[in-house]
Amino acid sequence: MDWDAYAQTYRQLDDEATVPHLLRRVLDGSGGSLIDVGCGEGALLDRLRSGYGDSWTVTGYEVSNLRAELARSHGHTVLTSPDGVVPVEDGTFDVATASHVIEHVPDDSVFARELLRITRPGGYVYVETPVKLPGAWYFRRNPQAGWVLDKTHVREYRSAAAVDEVLVGAGLTVVAEDLTPLSYPLAAAGLLIRRVLRLPQSTKRPSGLAARTVSIPRYRQQAVLTRRPDGAAG
């Protein structure tokens, strides 16, 4: 997959205004180091810096050099590598996050173990991913996963338990989780029209009406906060 070409065609749309509440449970009243794996254009990094810049040092990681540069243009430190292996020593970070990344990777078990590896013993891993309930359908297609939200999704989990199974299998312990409606920015429709008409893509993040969202029927977002046990092997 040419992730730079993909990033140029499909701009990252962020419909979140705040740091996810399960992640805030770890960050509030504490401090340390955090890495956002698959940070994209830096939307979560922006929110983390705004809310926790005095107490948390935040770093991004990307396989797309284009998205890494866009995040760096916001003043963030972003690591890159083409193979999905974060170029840091074991146990480097107190917290690792991965929002809507695990559904893209070739092997979700390997990815979960990488999140555990880069997190210190006793540290936390936070993951978000779509869950596709029975009857859900979306118009994009991946040869491996069928009809999906994004053509680069090589899997869409069919239950919250399926997500937990991957993370627990990597050696993580589930601390808290929630399942909420999955929404999509209205700006996505505008981007699709511009692609069809071969018009230039805007580099601005959506605002106003374009930033509003609609729920996708029978899809949910699974958020999972896990912890690496003390002494767990990477």
Side-chain angles (χ1 to χ4, degrees), residues 7 15 34-35 42 68 81 100 107 118 126 128 143 157 164 195 208 218 223:
D15 61 348
L34 177 150
I35 185 167
S81 68
H100 293 267
D107 189 320
I118 63 176
Y126 173 81
E128 288 180 2
Y157 299 98
D164 294 347
R195 283 197 298 272
R218 306 299 296 161

Side-chain angles (χ1 to χ4, degrees), residues 33 40 43 82 91 118 122-124 130 136 153 159 213 223 229:
S33 59
I118 63 176
Y124 291 88
H153 286 186
S159 68
T213 63

